[in-house]
Amino acid sequence: MPILVQHRQIVLPGQLLAEGKDVEVKAQHTIYRIGDKYYSSVIGLTDVQNGKRLSVIALEGFYFPKVDDIVIGMIIDTGLTSWTVDIRSPYLAILHASDVLSKPFNPLKDNLRKHLDIGDLVLAKIIQFDRTRSPVLTVKGKGLGKITKGVIVEIIPSRVPRVIGRKGSMINMVKEETKCQITIGLNGRIWIIGPTLTHEEVAILAIKKIERETHISGLTDRVKAFIREELKKRGLAK
Amino acid sequence: MRYEKIKLVDENGLRIDGRKPDQLRPVKMEVSVLKNADGSAYVEQGNTRVLAAVYGPREVHPKHLTLPDRAILRTRYHMVPYSTDERKSPAPTRREIELSKVIREALESVIFVELYPRTTIDVFIEVIQADAGTRTAGLMAASLALADAGIPMKDLIAAVAIGKVDGTLVLDINQVEDEYGEADMPIAMMPSLGEIVLLQLNGVLSEEEFYEALKLAQKGIAQLYEFEKQALMKKYVEVKVEEV
Amino acid sequence: MSMTPSNQRIVSKLKRSSIVSLIKKGLRVDGRKLDEYREITVIPNYISKAEGSAYAKIGGTLVIAGLKVGVGTPYPDMPNSGVITVNAEFVPFASPTFEPGPPDENAIELARVIDRSIRELHVIDLEKLAVVPGEKVYILWLDIYVFDHDGNLLDTSMLAAITTLLSARIPKAVVKENGRIVELDKEVREPLPIMNKVVTVSVGKVNDKFIVDPNIDEEQVLDCRLAVSLSEDGKIAGMQKMGSGTFTTEEVIEAVKLAKKASKTLFSKINEALKKIEEQ
């Protein structure tokens, strides 16, 4: 047997995962190789497909920027021609003034803080990142821009994929059950707008439950039942 | 040299705290013990107690300290004033400066620093109670905290100090054995890979004794590695499924 | 706080790969064998103002150590022992990467490795340095100064340090007024009470090969190194793994064996130099 771990098993840094040449390993930072031995580099959850395709999803950790990712950032500083944005990653992101302002921009007259101030949240897309320079954001695009209503819930970024679920199955279920609009920033910030504050509260509880129980199977059904129960408790469902 | 000679190994071959020569002190380990840090851990070995916290990878200021092709590592090993019999000044001593360096070098061989250019990973170790083996306990706590922070690494670090007391090699020395013994050899390894990441010898050993000490250390390290893995797993096993 | 150094000198990739590929074949850029030291020069009593001193040069690395002696009170936990303090300074002109200021972690580590080896092997019988036991003892300050850095500072520094101790002539302590006053008579000199000799051999690891006495360029390609202090009769008197690579246990054993072998070169240089001054 080339793969030495089960599907959906918790593994630890230094753990031998597989041995041999006919193992297909998804190249990523969670698995490393010495000779033909594959080891886990993180605390993670294994994903074994057809007994030969192996990957490890980190259970802990931070967000690492990738071009085209949608993230929710917070303005933490303004310069003359750009904003500095915290996207919960090792690198602070940049949002250029020219991206936000439509008319020509005069740094001597215009004050960027009138447009986006420190503490403001933005839904943005990463358009540039190569590790040698800071990630660059854009807010041009459908739905992107300043966030002015609703609530934000923060989760461990590496657990975002579980909140989304296979082909969006998990998050679509949560949206449907809670009647909330939910937008996921891949950096672990999730934006919720519900018909009432109570609906939003239930959605937050559900997302936190997914985050906490990421590694325990049967999650979708459990969360669905959980939401229904919580809504019932609050008199929002029968 | 030393005036009050204490008998460190009795006629039955037992040590001053009743342990056998190849026996570890009781161990306690826990991860995610701090709220603010990205990763944290607590390690207790006998009366030695250590807290470790990790921040990062994050941006460094001033920027000229960064490296273009890898993350830098900043490490502080520190003993708090009330951790010792006599109050220790909070200012870093020469010993703490040296230990911070060897601990940093040990951690650098474990972390995949090349994944995060231009950033820093900060590792802080606070010894809150010192009873020998603080650097080895600190390294274990640091490695658990790094794993807890989700920082990719080759392996956990398990570490222990071997001593020579009354001519006998002993595993995991305590303070009395450290003070009155003939040698102290802290050693840290990546157990899965069989690689040594820290090795110091303070004292005199013959070549044969050194080889014996290495063997004894590996035995202790294997046990400590199991404790570390249990401590990490515990965090996930203890999450109870809330049934409705 | 210890920080990954960001001011290291950069060795060209071409040079690095030629160093590595030579070592792989058992050769070195300067024509040495893997277990061979560069040219070693040891000059005892180099500084006449000091009570002991030595000039030590290995390749282009130059270290001068000096011993100053005073009388003071012993440490409360060692009332009947003399006191020795080892300090190392890397002077700024010794390398473009050295900065002015108090000793950094590298200088502190070097001094402490040397201090531990000297202390643990009982190179000096410190009890013989108690003048009035419990009251007045000799205080020895051993200052190690690195003036030129061409690699392998530790072995060179230890060479200077041990030669200093072995060749020192300290002034005789004269007790007056029933032990209340102790004066040093500079006219009457005697050697230190030496019990053992120690040297340090740094063994560098490059992939699966080991080299002794890395020069400054070789230091840049080492995975890591193991410094092994050895007594003349082959006991291990201290060890320190330095640098961020790793050793397997088999490799550590191999490194110790190599260090033991190479230590003979250093001891013979020391003995030669001491013999020369005795003949004078």
Side-chain angles (χ1 to χ4, degrees), chain B residues 180-212:
Chain B
Y180 297 95
E182 296 107 78
D184 161 28
M185 185 178 96
I187 176 166
M189 294 184 77
M190 292 189 269
S192 290
L193 307 177
E195 299 276 352
I196 296 168
V197 297
L198 175 140
L199 174 61
Q200 294 177 292
L201 168 63
N202 179 15
V204 181
L205 295 178
S206 72
E207 214 178 316
E208 289 66 34
E209 282 170 336
F210 170 57
Y211 304 151
E212 258 333 286

Side-chain angles (χ1 to χ4, degrees), chain C:
Chain C
M1 191 151 69
S2 175
M3 202 185 302
T4 310
S6 53
N7 65 341
Q8 289 302 89
R9 54 195 289 281
I10 296 173
V11 176
S12 75
K13 282 194 168 173
L14 193 68
K15 198 166 187 181
R16 292 176 87 100
S17 65
S18 81
I19 294 172
V20 172
S21 58
L22 276 174
I23 289 174
K24 207 171 175 181
K25 288 184 220 148
L27 303 167
R28 311 209 17 201
V29 266
D30 50 12
R32 283 185 287 159
K33 296 197 201 85
L34 298 190
D35 60 354
E36 196 179 337
Y37 268 89
R38 290 168 291 176
E39 192 182 335
I40 300 171
T41 313
V42 190
I43 309 171
N45 300 339
Y46 187 73
I47 306 288
S48 60
K49 291 266 184 187
E51 278 82 44
S53 64
Y55 166 111
K57 203 167 178 190
I58 300 184
T61 292
L62 171 62
V63 177
I64 300 171
L67 183 77
K68 295 300 288 178
V69 177
V71 171
T73 46
Y75 284 117
D77 56 339
M78 300 268 227
N80 303 327
S81 285
V83 174
I84 179 166
T85 303
V86 181
N87 182 50
E89 303 269 345
F90 297 177
V91 306
F93 65 64
S95 161
T97 61
F98 292 171
E99 311 257 358
D104 67 358
E105 62 179 28
N106 297 304
I108 288 172
E109 181 187 38
L110 178 140
R112 285 177 57 85
V113 168
I114 289 174
D115 181 298
R116 287 199 287 263
S117 303
I118 289 173
R119 209 172 288 278
E120 293 294 335
L121 194 63
H122 305 304
V123 166
I124 303 168
D125 187 350
L126 290 174
E127 287 184 36
K128 292 223 171 91
L129 293 181
V131 184
V132 183
E135 304 279 333
K136 300 278 183 199
V137 299
Y138 276 106
I139 311 277
L140 311 178
W141 287 281
L142 180 56
D143 283 292
I144 297 165
Y145 269 72
V146 172
F147 290 110
D148 210 353
H149 179 11
D150 187 30
N152 202 5
L153 294 182
L154 180 53
D155 298 11
T156 318
S157 298
M158 180 57 113
L159 185 61
I162 190 67
T163 309
T164 296
L165 296 178
L166 294 174
S167 60
R169 293 293 178 270
I170 61 168
K172 193 174 168 57
V174 183
V175 182
K176 290 181 179 169
E177 296 187 30
N178 288 335
R180 266 182 305 203
I181 296 176
V182 174
E183 279 175 6
L184 292 177
D185 182 354
K186 299 211 170 185
E187 301 307 312
V188 187
R189 301 278 183 142
E190 41 195 32
L192 284 169
I194 298 289
M195 305 217 285
N196 279 301
K197 285 180 207 167
V198 65
V199 295
T200 301
V201 179
S202 297
V203 177
K205 181 186 156 193
V206 182
N207 299 320
D208 56 346
K209 294 277 193 235
F210 296 93
I211 59 171
V212 300
D213 183 32
N215 69 28
I216 193 149
D217 289 336
E218 289 171 334
E219 280 189 351
Q220 300 294 312
V221 307
L222 296 183
D223 301 326
C224 58
R225 63 182 121 170
L226 185 70
V228 187
S229 293
L230 291 144
S231 66
E232 208 165 8
D233 60 355
K235 284 203 194 76
I236 306 169
M239 275 192 292
Q240 183 97 337
K241 180 197 157 252
M242 301 165 90
S244 57
T246 61
F247 287 103
T248 64
T249 45
E250 294 76 28
E251 285 170 342
V252 161
I253 291 170
E254 197 180 334
V256 166
K257 286 194 193 306
L258 182 58
K260 198 167 165 178
K261 194 176 148 207
S263 70
K264 302 210 161 63
T265 313
L266 294 170
F267 281 117
S268 77
K269 285 286 173 189
I270 294 167
N271 293 336
E272 230 170 77
L274 292 174
K275 204 172 152 208
K276 213 182 270 173
I277 55 161
E278 266 170 36
E279 284 163 0
Q280 278 169 7

Side-chain angles (χ1 to χ4, degrees), chain A residues 171-215:
Chain A
I171 196 62
N172 287 337
M173 181 275 288
V174 176
K175 282 183 194 171
E176 205 169 292
E177 295 289 329
T178 63
K179 316 247 179 326
C180 290
Q181 287 177 46
I182 302 177
T183 309
I184 296 179
L186 291 177
N187 58 336
R189 286 195 181 119
I190 300 172
W191 179 23
I192 303 166
I193 305 175
T196 69
L197 287 179
T198 318
H199 286 91
E200 288 176 359
E201 186 196 343
V202 173
I204 292 173
L205 289 175
I207 287 166
K208 280 292 181 188
K209 183 180 173 73
I210 302 168
E211 180 194 27
R212 204 167 47 240
E213 298 177 18
T214 297
H215 56 288

Side-chain angles (χ1 to χ4, degrees), chain B residues 2-243:
Chain B
R2 276 128 184 175
Y3 285 85
E4 10 165 357
K5 184 67 194 163
I6 298 178
K7 207 161 184 330
L8 296 170
V9 179
D10 71 13
E11 53 283 354
N12 302 318
L14 294 180
R15 295 153 71 178
I16 199 143
D17 54 9
R19 281 184 292 158
K20 296 190 204 92
D22 63 350
Q23 195 179 346
L24 294 169
R25 291 178 287 181
V27 181
K28 231 188 240 175
M29 297 182 182
E30 200 182 339
V31 294
S32 297
V33 292
L34 304 174
K35 181 179 165 289
N36 267 307
D38 295 326
S40 60
Y42 170 77
V43 170
E44 193 178 301
Q45 268 185 295
N47 280 324
T48 289
R49 297 174 177 186
V50 179
L51 271 172
V54 169
Y55 279 89
R58 60 182 177 183
E59 293 204 354
V60 200
H61 296 280
K63 290 248 188 211
H64 69 85
L65 295 175
T66 64
L67 288 167
D69 54 351
R70 51 162 290 184
I72 65 162
L73 203 61
R74 297 190 293 188
T75 305
R76 189 174 96 133
Y77 161 95
H78 181 247
M79 293 172 85
V80 303
Y82 52 77
S83 66
T84 47
D85 294 330
E86 301 290 322
R87 178 178 186 269
K88 186 209 142 282
S89 156
T93 59
R94 286 165 66 87
R95 176 180 173 276
E96 287 168 308
I97 291 169
E98 182 198 341
L99 293 196
S100 295
K101 176 184 184 276
V102 294
I103 289 170
R104 171 179 60 75
E105 290 177 339
L107 295 174
E108 294 211 44
S109 49
V110 173
I111 302 170
F112 287 101
V113 287
E114 63 281 3
L115 288 172
Y116 309 107
R118 301 184 300 114
T119 65
T120 177
I121 298 168
D122 295 336
V123 181
F124 302 101
I125 296 167
E126 293 289 343
V127 177
I128 56 173
Q129 188 164 285
D131 190 11
T134 58
R135 86 195 71 179
T136 46
L139 256 176
M140 287 195 283
S143 91
L144 290 172
L146 284 164
D148 185 42
I151 293 173
M153 57 207 282
K154 288 189 193 134
D155 199 354
L156 302 170
I157 293 174
V160 73
I162 302 295
K164 184 181 168 191
V165 297
D166 290 352
T168 308
L169 291 172
V170 295
L171 182 65
D172 186 20
I173 51 171
N174 62 32
Q175 189 178 324
V176 178
E177 291 171 333
D178 189 17
E179 268 172 34
Y180 297 95
E182 296 107 78
D184 161 28
M185 185 178 96
I187 176 166
M189 294 184 77
M190 292 189 269
S192 290
L193 307 177
E195 299 276 352
I196 296 168
V197 297
L198 175 140
L199 174 61
Q200 294 177 292
L201 168 63
N202 179 15
V204 181
L205 295 178
S206 72
E207 214 178 316
E208 289 66 34
E209 282 170 336
F210 170 57
Y211 304 151
E212 258 333 286
L214 274 180
K215 266 191 222 149
L216 188 57
Q218 279 171 288
K219 188 178 165 186
I221 279 169
Q223 293 171 43
L224 290 163
Y225 192 41
E226 289 308 313
F227 283 117
E228 290 184 304
K229 292 194 277 191
Q230 280 169 24
L232 286 173
M233 290 305 278
K234 203 170 155 215
K235 183 176 166 187
Y236 303 96
V237 173
E238 281 192 350
V239 173
K240 298 273 181 342
V241 177
E242 297 162 13
E243 293 297 347

